[in-house]
């Protein structure tokens, strides 16, 4: 259950994009990723494995939360597939929790540090325009129209 060490322990590596510098949460451990803006729809996670993916299984369960406190059921279960895995989430979230489940997988042999997260990306949720701003804009346009009609 030891987290990665050295460069593997730097969580920012997972935010940097799929560049080969990765983060290892550790066998059976979990980590929470916070996004600066809410996300919805597609989420992609890249995994980095140096050994054989078939003889060295690694896996995670992924949870999503809007507040970082309430998690519910996993939104995805991922094995160390080549490249990336993309899945969809319904709802708007700001946090992803990744739980390494490598020790529970068939064929697991106690070695290494579990699932290595090379990168995470998510589709940012659209930022809604507050209703008050739309009403204010409509009122200003109406006032301009009245002013023009009085001049004419």
């Amino acid at each position: 259950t030891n987290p990665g060490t050295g460069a593997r322990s730097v969580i920012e590596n997972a935010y940097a994009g799929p560049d080969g510098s990765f983060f290892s949460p550790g066998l059976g451990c979990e980590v929470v990723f916070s996004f600066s803006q809410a996300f919805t729809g597609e989420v992609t996670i890249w995994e980095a494995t140096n050994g054989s993916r078939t003889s060295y299984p690694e896996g995670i369960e992924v949870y999503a939360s809007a507040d970082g406190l309430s998690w519910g059921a996993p939104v995805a279960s991922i094995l160390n597939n080549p490249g990336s895995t993309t899945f969809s989430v319904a709802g708007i979230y700001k946090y992803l929790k990744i739980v390494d489940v490598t020790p529970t997988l068939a064929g697991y042999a106690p070695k290494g540090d579990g699932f290595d997260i090379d990168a995470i990306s998510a589709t940012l949720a659209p930022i809604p325009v507050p209703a008050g701003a739309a009403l204010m804009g409509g009122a200003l346009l109406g006032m301009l129209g009245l002013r023009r009609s009085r001049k004419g």
Side-chain angles (χ1 to χ4, degrees):
T1 61
N2 295 330
T5 59
R8 294 172 176 239
S9 65
V10 179
I11 195 169
E12 288 78 12
N13 288 344
Y15 287 109
D19 59 4
S21 66
F22 53 87
F23 170 73
S24 295
L27 290 171
C29 294
E30 64 183 54
V31 62
V32 175
F33 290 91
S34 173
F35 291 79
S36 60
Q37 184 178 328
F39 62 89
T40 188
E42 288 190 350
V43 175
T44 303
I45 297 178
W46 286 262
E47 201 271 346
T49 294
N50 294 327
S52 165
R53 294 175 191 277
T54 55
S55 63
Y56 185 39
E58 298 172 332
I60 57 172
E61 287 184 341
V62 183
Y63 299 80
S65 173
D67 61 7
L69 302 172
S70 306
W71 295 99
V75 294
S77 293
I78 302 173
L79 295 177
N80 55 335
N81 299 321
S84 63
T85 300
T86 299
F87 56 93
S88 293
V89 294
I92 298 177
Y93 302 101
K94 193 164 179 194
Y95 302 91
L96 282 180
K97 177 169 68 172
I98 295 180
V99 178
D100 183 277
V101 296
T102 300
T104 67
L105 299 175
Y108 164 72
K111 58 184 176 181
D113 55 8
F115 196 94
D116 301 318
I117 304 162
D118 189 10
I120 295 178
S121 73
T123 303
L124 299 180
I127 299 173
V129 175
L135 290 173
M136 180 66 132
L140 288 173
L141 288 174
M143 289 172 56
L144 285 173
L146 283 175
R147 185 172 180 202
R148 286 186 177 192
S149 65
R150 286 186 183 171
K151 285 185 173 181

